[in-house]
Amino acid sequence: MRWSRRVEEKNSKKEDVLATTKKVAVMGGGSFGTAMATLLARNKADLDVVILVRSEADAESINEDHKNAKYLPQYELPTNIRATTDPAHALPGSDFIVHAVPVQSSKAFLAGVKQHISPETPLLCLSKGLDRETCEMMSEVIPEGLGRKQPLAVLSGPTFAVELMQGLPTAIVAASEDKNLAWRVQRLFASTHLRVNTSADVVGVEMSGALKNVLAIAAGMIEGLSLGNNALASVVAQGCAEIRWLASKMGARPETLAGLSGTGDIMLTCFVNLSRNRTVGVRLGKGESLEDILGSMNQVAEGVATAGAVMKLARRYKVSLPVLTAVARILEDDLDPRDAVEEIMNLPQVPEV
Ligand SMILES: NC(=O)C1=CN([C@@H]2O[C@H](COP(=O)(O)OP(=O)(O)OC[C@H]3O[C@@H](n4cnc5c(N)ncnc54)[C@H](O)[C@@H]3O)[C@@H](O)[C@H]2O)C=CC1
Ligand SMILES: O=C(CO)COP(=O)(O)O
């Protein structure tokens, strides 16, 4: 990530993406789907932005009151955002379709709406996580759910929904194997409020976004156990190394892990109490049960399910991940948070790698 580097436009005749884009659909009317829909709608006043929501009440709140009453009630939505529960209404004719459904629901959801998605329409995935059962990344879940390959970009970075809604400066990575699609996504979303770096490292961007949520649960637990800042910094640094060890084995590039979707999002999510995943960790550290914590939340904490996939990947790639796997064991109720700390502190002393 080098914003200082001037990148000359090699081809000034490149498509004006925003000018040629007429309709964008967003699947998933939660906090992030709504936030990214809002950024798009603010970029172009006559852009038709349609959010596919689950309930008529959600649709009415957006269409009648221009608010997402369930997830972002304090924010006014642009009037060129509308909502529907009907995929046959939301999806056909879209120039881009944004995916913001939680990872564990995505495969079945996509199978249910695929007949309304043209094979040529680029899917832009915002969801961060790994399929708990198959360990698949979203770039694998999406073609599985649709039953076909689909033009795809994944977007990930330090991007709390509420700060996007406030128009606060933010940066994200748009990664795709299709360089031109990554560039088009950059042009679609970029504004004076949002910088969009392009990347070809889909694995690196996805694994960073997925594993940082698991690490955030660990960071929250340190806070919940009142173990101090030394411990917090040490656990996050160890977790960064574990993410690097696993993601590199899966083909991720080091510069990706050190960039916005890696270090950037790790710092945001591990150190800031706006994070749902970090909050789960804090409450676990304070002794609440996972059942009570999840039962009290109306939003997803993707790290909870992704932690189970990390356990399987650690075995598959034969890589030791003491912090990330401890989170999974704690979430499975196989390990107490305090015992996890003692276990990690008593591991053999090792060289820094
Ligand atoms: N909220 C944030 O600040 C950020 C969230 N993300 C990611 O965005 C993705 C979406 O998360 P949020 O919008 O934050 O979650 P959320 O919990 O705020 O909303 C989830 C949305 O998905 C819908 N949904 C759940 N199950 C569904 C199903 N089976 N079929 C259809 N819709 C379903 C819910 O009704 C809700 O509208 C997650 O992977 C998250 O990690 C990424 C960056 C920032
Ligand atoms: O991914 C996010 C910020 O980049 C949101 O984090 P949480 O899901 O932990 O709230």
Side-chain angles (χ1 to χ4, degrees), residues 31-288:
S31 45
F32 202 47
T34 303
M36 293 298 271
T38 298
L39 261 64
L40 287 171
R42 287 173 181 165
N43 275 359
K44 183 181 178 185
D46 63 350
L47 180 65
D48 181 14
V49 181
V50 189
I51 304 178
L52 179 60
V53 296
R54 289 179 100 183
S55 78
E56 288 303 334
D58 294 347
E60 189 176 328
S61 161
I62 291 170
N63 293 330
E64 304 303 321
D65 306 330
H66 303 296
K67 282 189 189 287
N68 183 329
K70 189 183 291 182
Y71 293 96
L72 296 164
Q74 67 273 47
Y75 299 103
E76 186 90 11
L77 303 182
T79 54
N80 54 321
I81 290 180
R82 57 195 175 93
T84 179
T85 57
D86 183 359
H89 184 74
L91 303 176
S94 298
D95 297 293
F96 297 91
I97 296 178
V98 177
H99 183 90
V101 172
V103 169
Q104 308 310 320
S105 304
S106 286
K107 196 174 287 185
F109 168 81
L110 289 165
V113 299
K114 66 184 179 186
Q115 69 269 33
H116 305 295
I117 299 176
S118 162
E120 293 75 45
T121 305
L123 243 65
L124 314 181
C125 184
L126 305 178
S127 302
K128 297 176 178 177
L130 302 173
D131 185 288
R132 171 79 177 77
E133 300 316 315
T134 66
C135 304
E136 290 167 323
M137 295 173 281
M138 283 303 295
S139 54
E140 299 163 314
V141 165
I142 288 172
E144 278 280 304
L146 295 176
R148 63 173 185 255
K149 276 186 73 66
Q150 188 83 14
L152 175 71
V154 297
L155 288 91
S156 194
T159 58
F160 283 135
V162 291
E163 295 196 1
L164 292 177
M165 293 305 290
Q166 295 167 37
L168 297 177
T170 300
I172 198 168
V173 180
S176 178
E177 290 174 358
D178 176 345
K179 195 174 176 181
N180 183 54
L181 176 56
W183 180 87
R184 293 175 68 212
V185 173
Q186 180 187 62
R187 287 303 182 275
L188 183 69
F189 279 97
S191 72
T192 53
H193 303 287
L194 182 69
R195 290 190 61 80
V196 182
N197 288 359
T198 56
S199 169
D201 184 9
V202 173
V203 170
V205 169
E206 284 215 87
M207 287 306 290
S208 297
L211 301 184
K212 67 89 185 176
N213 284 330
V214 182
L215 182 53
I217 294 173
M221 271 192 254
I222 298 296
E223 160 126 357
L225 290 166
S226 303
L227 291 177
N229 297 307
N230 295 353
L232 175 60
S234 304
V235 160
V236 173
Q238 171 66 22
C240 286
E242 294 181 14
I243 290 172
R244 173 165 45 86
W245 298 337
L246 178 57
S248 302
K249 281 188 178 266
M250 297 174 70
R253 294 178 190 161
E255 62 271 27
T256 302
L257 305 177
L260 286 170
S261 62
T263 304
D265 208 1
I266 287 169
M267 288 191 289
L268 182 85
T269 315
C270 290
F271 298 138
V272 179
N273 61 11
L274 285 173
S275 160
R276 284 86 50 99
N277 288 282
R278 184 183 180 280
T279 301
V280 167
V282 170
R283 295 176 63 178
L284 284 169
K286 289 182 173 178
E288 288 189 61

